[in-house]
Amino acid sequence: MTLTEELSEWAHSLRFDDIPQDVVEIAKLQILSQCAAIRVGASHPLGRRMIQAFGEPLQDDPRRSAFVLAGLGAWLHFDDTAFAGHLSNSTVAVPMAYARAQGLNGAGLLTSVVVANECAARITAATTLGPFRGQSAPYTHVTGAIAGRLRGEDATAGRWVSALGLGLGLPPRTVPVGFLGGDAKVFSSSTPVAVGLDACDAAAAGFRGSPEILEHAEGFLSRFATVPLPEIVTAGLSERWHTLTTSFKLHPGGPGMDSAIDCAFELHREIGTVRAQDIAEISVDTSLYTVLVNRQAGAYLRGPDSPVSALVFALPYLLSTALLTGDLTAEDFTPQRLADADRWAVADRVRIQLDEAMTHDLFHCEVPFGEALRQAGPRAADWLKVFGARWKGDGQWLVDLVGELEPPSKDFGSSRKSTPARVTVTLTDGRSLTRELDVPAGAVGSAHAGNLTELMREKFLTAGGTAAVADQLASLESASADDVARMLPAALA
């Protein structure tokens, strides 16, 4: 049996009662959080342009609706992440778009979300040690769209195999200058979702995809992974629930930057109202991952005229805004806020340094890289060399720094997403204040893990959602199909 066949058999046969309760709870929070991200995305000028071009979030045509939902929830980087991938832009968006047409009740909707999470995360994890990650890995959403739709249709395992073979046979590929230098990032989830849904239609009409699409010598993994990890696709099905590795976003901003932003919020609360002329310097010590993401985005910045796609990855602007205002919202990426000269003056005083101890910690926690490195074992050195060479030398320094790896996780019950940062603000009056954080609020393994329900409820309400809808989503598993059909438009209205 091929990997695609084994995964398809599992996905086809899984029922709601097979899903552990803690996984169900995370999936409910995921829907609540993604509805908030969609609402916020729709409120921004770029989101309104997307609606103008492609229609409202929920439409009579579920395929068109899925395209819009995927785009609105993704581009501000207000979406959630897991090991591995930014899943919700397809794994939540597609089941929500198709819920009414498929007559899904609450349990059925949650089953579709969880199955889509697990399939998309596993295929993305198999490519983690490769050139694409996070939102630059569009094939996550090819898989998420296929799984999110076919689970709701109760499609046969054979149709799953063909749809995955077709969708992963011609997946989109991210071009960095388009992703960061313009507005193409808005479609980083929408376009692959459309590819996945086309694959479903083709499979239903009898088109066949290769059942060896993943592991074949000239298959998907051979083209999208530096160190392919085919074994991770089916490892621990119904035991290792990737949904449990979900980290929830509390504010817009690029990967690896949440800890630094949380530190800036704390510093703002301590310092109080602060002006640009009060700040002499902001020093940030952080991991290689954050340093490289910020450096890549920096090449596309043009001050107030910078594309939003690059700004959400630009740590100096994010920190400047958080420190000056004590907040970071979608409005901070609008032309009016970007015209604030004080923000750019403070951003120019941000200095970012690589911290090797933080880099070691980043690669030794499960999310976003550690579990893939553990799975790879000695093979991980090849990828670490490539990744490390982006900073200096031939990359061997990173292999030596990471050192011996832990064994792969048996389950993800104790997962952590460590993206450390230390932020020091030096004021012109001579004072210097420092804050440090390993795991940001909302991320898996954070000190706030016990408050996730409250955090996601607040995220939804702050985005304009109502308490009544939040209450309904909290008990989604008991909702009827009619309840779901009424609830989703209210959640996104």
mmCIF file of all heavy atoms in Angstrom, residues 414-430:
data_model
loop_
_atom_site.group_PDB
_atom_site.id
_atom_site.type_symbol
_atom_site.label_atom_id
_atom_site.label_comp_id
_atom_site.label_asym_id
_atom_site.label_seq_id
_atom_site.Cartn_x
_atom_site.Cartn_y
_atom_site.Cartn_z
ATOM 1 N N SER A 414 2.874 17.194 24.677
ATOM 2 C CA SER A 414 3.723 18.151 25.399
ATOM 3 C C SER A 414 4.528 19.022 24.437
ATOM 4 O O SER A 414 5.630 19.465 24.762
ATOM 5 C CB SER A 414 4.664 17.409 26.346
ATOM 6 O OG SER A 414 5.482 16.487 25.619
ATOM 7 N N SER A 415 3.991 19.274 23.267
ATOM 8 C CA SER A 415 4.712 20.044 22.253
ATOM 9 C C SER A 415 4.912 21.494 22.691
ATOM 10 O O SER A 415 4.116 22.050 23.455
ATOM 11 C CB SER A 415 3.936 20.026 20.930
ATOM 12 O OG SER A 415 3.892 18.736 20.399
ATOM 13 N N ARG A 416 5.986 22.099 22.174
ATOM 14 C CA ARG A 416 6.283 23.509 22.424
ATOM 15 C C ARG A 416 6.687 24.176 21.119
ATOM 16 O O ARG A 416 7.304 23.548 20.267
ATOM 17 C CB ARG A 416 7.427 23.662 23.436
ATOM 18 C CG ARG A 416 7.103 23.171 24.829
ATOM 19 C CD ARG A 416 8.330 23.241 25.719
ATOM 20 N NE ARG A 416 8.676 24.619 26.070
ATOM 21 C CZ ARG A 416 9.764 25.255 25.643
ATOM 22 N NH1 ARG A 416 10.620 24.654 24.817
ATOM 23 N NH2 ARG A 416 10.022 26.496 26.025
ATOM 24 N N LYS A 417 6.327 25.445 21.009
ATOM 25 C CA LYS A 417 6.802 26.266 19.897
ATOM 26 C C LYS A 417 7.661 27.374 20.491
ATOM 27 O O LYS A 417 7.168 28.443 20.855
ATOM 28 C CB LYS A 417 5.642 26.851 19.095
ATOM 29 C CG LYS A 417 6.117 27.661 17.884
ATOM 30 C CD LYS A 417 4.962 28.239 17.103
ATOM 31 C CE LYS A 417 5.478 28.970 15.857
ATOM 32 N NZ LYS A 417 4.369 29.536 15.051
ATOM 33 N N SER A 418 8.949 27.122 20.568
ATOM 34 C CA SER A 418 9.874 28.078 21.150
ATOM 35 C C SER A 418 10.462 28.947 20.049
ATOM 36 O O SER A 418 11.240 28.475 19.217
ATOM 37 C CB SER A 418 10.992 27.347 21.904
ATOM 38 O OG SER A 418 11.892 28.264 22.476
ATOM 39 N N THR A 419 10.074 30.213 20.034
ATOM 40 C CA THR A 419 10.635 31.200 19.100
ATOM 41 C C THR A 419 11.150 32.361 19.951
ATOM 42 O O THR A 419 10.539 33.422 20.015
ATOM 43 C CB THR A 419 9.583 31.684 18.091
ATOM 44 O OG1 THR A 419 8.412 32.123 18.793
ATOM 45 C CG2 THR A 419 9.184 30.560 17.146
ATOM 46 N N PRO A 420 12.297 32.173 20.604
ATOM 47 C CA PRO A 420 12.724 33.089 21.668
ATOM 48 C C PRO A 420 13.120 34.475 21.167
ATOM 49 O O PRO A 420 13.542 34.654 20.024
ATOM 50 C CB PRO A 420 13.951 32.370 22.262
ATOM 51 C CG PRO A 420 13.963 30.999 21.674
ATOM 52 C CD PRO A 420 13.247 31.088 20.380
ATOM 53 N N ALA A 421 13.015 35.436 22.090
ATOM 54 C CA ALA A 421 13.463 36.800 21.802
ATOM 55 C C ALA A 421 13.749 37.525 23.112
ATOM 56 O O ALA A 421 13.089 37.297 24.128
ATOM 57 C CB ALA A 421 12.418 37.564 21.004
ATOM 58 N N ARG A 422 14.749 38.400 23.041
ATOM 59 C CA ARG A 422 15.069 39.302 24.154
ATOM 60 C C ARG A 422 15.075 40.720 23.594
ATOM 61 O O ARG A 422 15.831 41.023 22.663
ATOM 62 C CB ARG A 422 16.429 38.969 24.755
ATOM 63 C CG ARG A 422 16.823 39.812 25.975
ATOM 64 C CD ARG A 422 18.250 39.521 26.412
ATOM 65 N NE ARG A 422 18.473 38.090 26.557
ATOM 66 C CZ ARG A 422 19.250 37.364 25.750
ATOM 67 N NH1 ARG A 422 19.889 37.944 24.733
ATOM 68 N NH2 ARG A 422 19.395 36.075 25.924
ATOM 69 N N VAL A 423 14.223 41.580 24.121
ATOM 70 C CA VAL A 423 14.093 42.946 23.618
ATOM 71 C C VAL A 423 14.546 43.923 24.696
ATOM 72 O O VAL A 423 14.039 43.889 25.824
ATOM 73 C CB VAL A 423 12.639 43.246 23.200
ATOM 74 C CG1 VAL A 423 12.512 44.682 22.695
ATOM 75 C CG2 VAL A 423 12.174 42.267 22.131
ATOM 76 N N THR A 424 15.491 44.778 24.336
ATOM 77 C CA THR A 424 15.993 45.811 25.251
ATOM 78 C C THR A 424 15.732 47.178 24.636
ATOM 79 O O THR A 424 16.144 47.442 23.501
ATOM 80 C CB THR A 424 17.494 45.645 25.507
ATOM 81 O OG1 THR A 424 17.744 44.370 26.099
ATOM 82 C CG2 THR A 424 18.014 46.738 26.435
ATOM 83 N N VAL A 425 15.033 48.015 25.381
ATOM 84 C CA VAL A 425 14.761 49.385 24.947
ATOM 85 C C VAL A 425 15.637 50.327 25.758
ATOM 86 O O VAL A 425 15.589 50.331 26.995
ATOM 87 C CB VAL A 425 13.276 49.744 25.138
ATOM 88 C CG1 VAL A 425 13.030 51.202 24.780
ATOM 89 C CG2 VAL A 425 12.407 48.841 24.283
ATOM 90 N N THR A 426 16.442 51.122 25.071
ATOM 91 C CA THR A 426 17.255 52.151 25.712
ATOM 92 C C THR A 426 16.613 53.499 25.433
ATOM 93 O O THR A 426 16.413 53.880 24.270
ATOM 94 C CB THR A 426 18.693 52.137 25.174
ATOM 95 O OG1 THR A 426 19.261 50.838 25.389
ATOM 96 C CG2 THR A 426 19.545 53.183 25.877
ATOM 97 N N LEU A 427 16.257 54.201 26.493
ATOM 98 C CA LEU A 427 15.590 55.488 26.372
ATOM 99 C C LEU A 427 16.608 56.622 26.395
ATOM 100 O O LEU A 427 17.730 56.476 26.895
ATOM 101 C CB LEU A 427 14.579 55.670 27.505
ATOM 102 C CG LEU A 427 13.471 54.600 27.572
ATOM 103 C CD1 LEU A 427 12.640 54.784 28.829
ATOM 104 C CD2 LEU A 427 12.599 54.655 26.331
ATOM 105 N N THR A 428 16.228 57.764 25.861
ATOM 106 C CA THR A 428 17.148 58.904 25.794
ATOM 107 C C THR A 428 17.455 59.494 27.164
ATOM 108 O O THR A 428 18.423 60.241 27.316
ATOM 109 C CB THR A 428 16.562 60.000 24.885
ATOM 110 O OG1 THR A 428 15.234 60.326 25.325
ATOM 111 C CG2 THR A 428 16.501 59.530 23.440
ATOM 112 N N ASP A 429 16.646 59.137 28.174
ATOM 113 C CA ASP A 429 16.936 59.615 29.529
ATOM 114 C C ASP A 429 17.928 58.711 30.264
ATOM 115 O O ASP A 429 18.207 58.918 31.448
ATOM 116 C CB ASP A 429 15.654 59.769 30.341
ATOM 117 C CG ASP A 429 14.929 58.439 30.580
ATOM 118 O OD1 ASP A 429 15.498 57.370 30.253
ATOM 119 O OD2 ASP A 429 13.787 58.464 31.083
ATOM 120 N N GLY A 430 18.443 57.687 29.535
ATOM 121 C CA GLY A 430 19.453 56.815 30.105
ATOM 122 C C GLY A 430 18.927 55.502 30.641
ATOM 123 O O GLY A 430 19.710 54.572 30.912
#
